[in-house]
Amino acid sequence: MPTQRLIRYLTALTLPLLAACGDSRPPQADAAAVLPPGALAEIRYTRFGIPHVLADSYFGAGAGWGYAIAEDHLCTLSEAYLTFRGERSLAFGPEAPAAFDFSFRKPTNLESDLFWRFVATDAVIARYQDEQEPELREMIEGMVEGLNRYLDEIRQGQHAGRHTACREADWLQDVQIEDAYRRLYALNVAAAQAAFIPEIANAQPPLGLVPQRSSGAGAPSQEELDALAKDLRAAGPARFRLSGRHGLGSNTYALGAALTQQDHGLSFANPHWFWSGPNRFHQIHVKIPGRLNVAGAAILGAIPVLIGFNDDVAWSHTVSAAYRMALYELTLVPALPTRYLLDGIPRTMQAVTVRVPVRGDADIEWIERTLYRSVHGPIADLSTLNPLLGWNPLKAYAIRDINADNFRIFENYLRWNQAPSLQAFIDVQKELLAVPWVNTAAAGRDDPRAYYADIGAVPNVSDAFARRCRALPIGPVFATAVPGLPLLDGARSSCELPSADDGVQAGAMGLSQMPSLERVDYVANMNDSYWLSNPAEPLTGFAAILGCEQCEQSWRGRLGHLQALDFVQQDPAPADSASLRALVLSGRVLTAESMRDPVVATFCSDDTLEVERDPLSGDVFDPPVMVNVAAACAALSQWNLRVTAEARGAHIWEEFWLRVETIPVDARYQTSFDPARPLTTPAELQLDAPALRDAFGSAVLAIQRSPFALDARRDEVLFAEREERIGLYGGCDYPGVFTMACSLGSIETGYSMDAEEGAIGNSYLHVVTWGDTGTVEAFTMLAHSQSSDPASPHYGDATRAYADGAWLRLPFTEREIAQSRTRSVMLSE
């Protein structure tokens, strides 16, 4: 670190860390915000259709929010409510797949209905509602009021041409308070139970005899255990976390005073999230003078702001590497598959008859299925992962979802929305231990610190507890193949999740067991574990369920830290909003920076390359195919090593690396991972391996068979469909892309962010700091635009701005809103 920078860094360390507890520099005086008499809320719209809700009460704030979100997402949100009520089969038939990826894959409508009616019962939802603080309950009730006001206007024939996908549908119903809480509860269980909807909905007692195995009655053979390990490794850790999808996550930075060279911090939010469906983000600003002034984004139907900022604090999240569930193996009573042993005493599973309405030829018909619970949670038939994990006459498996009983989540967010300082923000997180399945990074006004934490609801499974209570013989296989995921012995009451002395929820970890970090340079997370929140101060000594220590980092995570370290090492220019905004959209590809030239030198020595198989599809070419790689090599040699819009040939590297990812790590790199060099290892491909040759040649072959040229621009291959095709930049995270836009479409049709399979990428982005006067300076983007209604003027306008790399300086003060307002909607009392 240069000397001048080191002096400034050490100086910052001496700043009073609790400065944020006071308002040493109040925000610049702003115009008063006043509602006219008789008004419940006013919605002031600014560019890209961003609503700024002004209200005198939490009910009014919720009403303005509800009306605004209905205007943008009436059909999408109404279908979500239909889903969480368990009525998809009634509207769309039982066998059709769910229309959207709700973060829990795509079960059939019947499986979805069975699950939600089983899990989100009336009793659970009533308890959820009862345990909320009055202000939050008011806000949720107001949101329902606003939604229904807009729906009434639709029924009266207003808003002609809008929401044609649902405005005449018989399933479009008034929203009930219970609908709103069911939507929130769906977010509670998204990272555990809802990742296994078909497995829970289809779990049925086995018929037949006790299985006989080669190693004895009921005991799995070593061959079967080896197959289980292989299947678990193939499924990967993501299968047991949110959505089970690779790449779902985010980037976030919080920069402290040593880098900003100001009294305040700097926050970067960059969730890599859904571009469609009910889990997409909606941008909003809500103000109750004297009580609440917060802006940012929330998942559709969630309230209040989940990622955002107020006058004093800005924060973001990334999907956590911690597991939010424990699996339990139940030992069944022989010949009685719905009875299990607990301390040698038979217990009867709770049998719940679930009835799902289905539209018949003349009337509503009902499908009934009995589903089961144990004391450890719902029974799941996990035979889709491996036959050993099915419900058989000897064993059954239950999922203990810690967030199923965490009713503090949205109280946490409301108190964050209100937080008057970074320290107050931190105190809320540490008091409630409520954050469900994400890391947190935050910065504040008048505070030198950058704050990181993976503090929230996590099963209380220490490493010692996991070893003592491991289910045998399958538990050790889980410990090796999916490190950190506990498979516990459900036959011992001593193995029920213990409550922590400093915890707030039964069976959940206490505060002292969870990681956090405060720095004056930076903290970051790119979906790797807490370990390297800042490489200068690794976090160690935590339980494996929270994530991996001294483990290989993702290429995207490595790039994220290397970019941040550029700020640490530069001198004298500080990190500011403009430099950070440029950095995060720079489009670097870390694997290509170090490996493109050796790959070209190895595979481009001749014009043709012999290819025996495609590692991605598994197709074997017999006889081998001779692929002409000359044009691909020329394009790759000229590529600028970025995924910027104008970059040519980036898709060659992306297709190549997609296939490289199928090769085992120990057969992929020359230099293995070294915990002492986590940002630079592993490195150097084993380019003499036939699998690497096949990966390169088959990638070129796939592009040759596609409609795209080998030297096509990035914005020709990657795009969004709005009123017209909008070319984009970015890429998937696996080759080390920080600027993420990852379509699940193939090169055969192009990387469409609107492909039927769905897409994950930059969604809501913000760079937030505070000016010399202490007022918010926020720049934002909403990559997929504000509305899911094709008839809305805001269906694609923000996407076009995002494609141009144009950040929006968000109006936040009353003066700024008045100067930027495009229209207003007044809701009367």
Side-chain angles (χ1 to χ4, degrees), residues 178-317:
E178 293 77 12
D179 293 331
Y181 282 98
R182 280 191 166 87
R183 197 287 166 267
L184 298 181
Y185 193 67
L187 292 172
N188 272 51
V189 300
Q193 291 182 34
F196 294 94
I197 287 178
E199 290 80 3
I200 292 174
N202 295 319
Q204 293 294 284
L207 300 174
L209 302 175
V210 173
Q212 298 295 316
R213 305 186 190 280
S214 59
S215 57
S221 67
Q222 187 60 50
E223 182 180 6
E224 288 173 312
L225 292 174
D226 290 345
L228 172 62
K230 181 180 179 181
D231 289 342
L232 290 174
R233 289 191 182 97
R239 180 63 187 86
F240 300 93
R241 298 196 184 102
L242 186 70
S243 99
R245 288 176 58 171
H246 177 76
L248 186 69
S250 310
N251 301 321
T252 187
Y253 292 133
L255 308 187
L259 297 188
T260 65
Q261 297 299 294
Q262 302 287 333
D263 295 337
H264 49 255
L266 186 59
S267 168
F268 168 56
N270 180 206
H272 301 153
W273 204 242
F274 299 94
W275 273 43
S276 61
N279 276 344
R280 66 187 277 168
F281 280 112
H282 185 255
Q283 192 169 352
I284 197 162
H285 176 196
V286 181
K287 185 172 186 178
I288 306 172
R291 288 186 281 176
L292 183 68
N293 188 23
V294 64
I299 292 169
L300 300 191
I303 199 169
V305 167
L306 304 184
I307 294 178
F309 53 93
N310 63 23
D311 288 302
D312 301 288
V313 189
W315 71 95
S316 188
H317 292 306

Side-chain angles (χ1 to χ4, degrees), residues 102-124:
F102 287 90
S103 80
F104 48 71
R105 301 176 294 143
K106 290 186 179 179
T108 67
N109 288 331
L110 179 58
E111 290 168 338
S112 175
D113 292 342
L114 287 165
F115 174 84
W116 291 113
R117 286 172 174 259
F118 178 51
V119 169
T121 63
D122 290 345
V124 167

Side-chain angles (χ1 to χ4, degrees), residues 763-816:
S763 53
Y764 167 77
L765 297 87
H766 80 216
V767 173
V768 177
T769 188
W770 292 265
D772 292 337
T773 60
T775 54
V776 168
E777 292 181 0
F779 289 85
T780 71
M781 288 178 164
L782 193 66
H784 45 62
S785 291
Q786 185 79 332
S787 178
S788 57
D789 179 14
S792 169
H794 305 299
Y795 179 64
D797 55 347
T799 305
R800 285 186 286 273
Y802 171 77
D804 293 336
W807 292 83
L808 171 71
R809 171 66 188 268
L810 185 79
F812 190 72
T813 68
E814 287 301 309
R815 288 188 179 90
E816 292 169 340

Side-chain angles (χ1 to χ4, degrees), residues 537-555:
E537 190 176 352
L539 296 169
T540 59
F542 296 93
I545 194 173
L546 286 161
C548 189
E549 297 174 6
Q550 299 194 351
C551 289
E552 182 181 334
Q553 304 295 285
S554 69
W555 284 97

Side-chain angles (χ1 to χ4, degrees), residues 399-525:
I399 296 176
R400 174 72 159 91
D401 184 343
I402 200 66
N403 283 303
D405 298 308
N406 175 12
F407 297 155
R408 310 175 305 282
I409 295 173
F410 297 96
E411 175 189 351
N412 182 105
Y413 280 104
L414 181 56
R415 289 177 61 182
W416 272 355
N417 286 194
Q418 301 163 325
S421 67
L422 177 60
Q423 186 59 48
F425 179 96
I426 295 170
D427 291 344
V428 168
Q429 185 167 24
K430 292 184 175 182
E431 173 192 345
L432 296 181
L433 307 183
V435 177
W437 29 258
V438 288
N439 302 282
T440 303
R445 180 177 67 87
D446 295 331
D447 198 306
R449 296 172 294 173
Y451 169 71
Y452 162 83
D454 194 355
I455 291 175
V458 179
N460 189 17
V461 179
S462 67
D463 291 349
F465 179 85
R467 288 191 295 270
R468 177 174 63 81
C469 285
R470 191 170 288 157
L472 299 175
I474 293 178
V477 178
F478 269 81
T480 301
V482 193
L485 176 64
L487 176 61
L488 304 175
D489 184 357
R492 291 181 279 163
S493 61
S494 61
C495 293
E496 294 179 15
L497 296 180
S499 297
D501 291 340
D502 56 346
V504 298
Q505 178 183 337
M509 273 191 178
L511 174 62
S512 61
Q513 298 168 279
M514 290 182 280
S516 64
L517 183 65
E518 297 174 13
R519 300 277 301 182
V520 292
D521 52 356
Y522 84 93
V523 295
N525 188 268

Side-chain angles (χ1 to χ4, degrees), residues 347-359:
R347 297 278 296 264
T348 301
M349 294 179 186
Q350 178 189 7
V352 179
T353 299
V354 181
R355 302 178 76 235
V356 173
V358 179
R359 189 177 301 280

